[in-house]
Amino acid sequence: LLMLSNYISALAGGDTRASAAFRNSKLTKLLMESLCGTGYTMLLAALSPAERHFDETANTLYFASKCSNIQRQTQMNLTPHEKEVMALKATI
């Protein structure tokens, strides 16, 4: 989870070298398509109002706020044939 947190921090900070950081762990490698802009990702944060869980809740909220700062542009994954068809449709 530390590597995932480091990767999320790099993405949220706009680090251009973050694209290679997913190789640092199996979890980030597994989540590569979602984190690199070819899919949609949603984070569900589980919080507890209990005082004894305050530290975990604060850390979860901190992580969720870092995740909300990520700005990625998604792209359509098209085959060369589909790209050509779209270009031809645009010229009509």
Side-chain angles (χ1 to χ4, degrees):
L1 290 177
L2 177 63
M3 289 296 139
L4 178 62
S5 179
N6 291 343
Y7 185 65
I8 295 293
S9 296
L11 287 176
D15 189 358
T16 57
R17 296 170 295 166
S19 61
F22 70 87
R23 296 185 188 108
N24 292 344
S25 85
K26 290 181 182 180
L27 179 62
T28 54
K29 180 76 170 169
L30 187 71
L31 295 173
M32 179 181 67
E33 284 194 26
S34 296
L35 296 172
C36 290
T38 58
Y40 291 101
T41 306
M42 180 173 59
L43 173 73
L44 180 65
L47 307 174
S48 172
E51 187 176 339
R52 66 180 181 197
H53 299 297
F54 175 78
D55 291 336
E56 285 295 321
T57 299
N59 288 337
T60 301
L61 288 172
Y62 177 70
F63 182 75
S65 72
K66 283 196 302 187
C67 291
S68 69
N69 292 332
I70 297 174
Q71 299 294 320
R72 302 294 291 177
Q73 289 186 335
T74 57
Q75 307 175 25
M76 292 176 53
N77 292 331
L78 300 174
T79 64
H81 175 69
E82 291 171 329
K83 288 179 185 179
E84 184 178 352
V85 169
M86 287 186 71
L88 291 172
K89 282 183 180 180
T91 59
I92 294 177

